[in-house]
Amino acid sequence: MGSLSTRRRISVALAAAAALGSFAASPAAAQDMPLPLQCQASPSFTSPQTFSLNAGVNATAPATVASGSTFNVAIAPDALTVPGSVGGYTVKSISGLKLSMPVPANATLVNATLSGGSGLGSTPSVAVSGNNIVLSVPGPIAGGQSFTLPVVTLQLKAGAAGTTISTQLSGSSYANPGLTFTASVPVWIFTMNVPTACYPSPNPVLSSTMVQ
């Protein structure tokens, strides 16, 4: 067996990745790590409410690739559960979920595709926005329901030799989130739409590939 790449799990699981072409990449192994998401819901009818989501992501990538070669990184989030309530307010459902990750440095993104997923209430999609790869789920997903986001497979072209290609979630604060969605919250006879922003804290590297 070749050297093992880091495979990390953050509350959002990653599938196997293999290098394409003639260059043989070393296999990957799993290393699990919890990743809490710090979230803030901002309703118009009261002060912001903060809460945590325990998520996890497993990322698998080859440990080494040749400069200029094309390879895959697969990112498979773990199951999540929509909170049934936040700050004493019932959560009816969430919609417009967006999870983002930066395009890895020292690599060119060739393609991004989705597979799998369950309990999403709609068909997910993936697109590039600026320097971020964004997974979008229109929903709705009911409050208290568990769901699994699809596996995101990134096809990357390796940059210069001697560099490292790493994957990570986006987000560093409520103002700069990596996960956003809108929660539907019944208040009296009305249903309010509450924007919610989350960021990973801590935010470890998911996978790391050395370019040779």
Side-chain angles (χ1 to χ4, degrees):
M1 299 287 289
S3 59
L4 299 181
S5 68
T6 304
R7 172 180 170 183
R8 302 191 181 194
R9 171 181 186 170
I10 311 175
S11 243
V12 185
L14 288 179
L20 303 179
S22 60
F23 183 79
S26 55
Q31 181 177 353
D32 293 338
M33 179 183 298
L35 178 73
L37 293 172
Q38 306 304 319
C39 301
Q40 183 180 71
S42 301
S44 60
F45 49 86
T46 187
S47 58
Q49 305 291 315
T50 59
F51 61 99
S52 296
L53 286 177
N54 292 320
V57 174
N58 290 336
T60 304
T64 57
V65 295
S67 175
S69 66
T70 302
F71 66 101
N72 287 354
V73 178
I75 301 172
D78 287 345
L80 283 169
T81 300
V82 179
S85 64
V86 173
Y89 293 94
T90 298
V91 176
K92 182 179 179 181
S93 65
I94 66 170
S95 59
L97 184 150
K98 294 183 182 295
L99 179 69
S100 65
M101 64 193 77
V103 175
N106 307 316
T108 300
L109 177 65
V110 178
N111 196 17
T113 58
L114 301 179
S115 60
S118 63
L120 302 176
S122 59
T123 301
S125 62
V126 63
V128 176
S129 177
N131 194 47
N132 286 315
I133 302 157
V134 182
L135 167 62
S136 300
V137 180
I141 306 170
Q145 177 181 320
S146 293
F147 65 96
T148 302
L149 294 172
V151 177
V152 181
T153 299
L154 306 179
Q155 187 179 33
L156 302 171
K157 183 175 181 180
T163 60
T164 300
I165 300 170
S166 301
T167 58
Q168 200 169 18
L169 295 182
S170 299
S172 58
S173 66
Y174 299 133
N176 178 34
L179 172 68
T180 59
F181 56 86
T182 298
S184 294
V185 178
V187 180
W188 298 102
I189 62 173
F190 305 102
T191 297
M192 303 291 187
N193 291 324
V194 179
T196 303
C198 307
Y199 67 96
S201 179
N203 188 9
V205 169
L206 304 181
S207 70
S208 183
T209 298
M210 178 61 117
V211 184
Q212 297 183 334

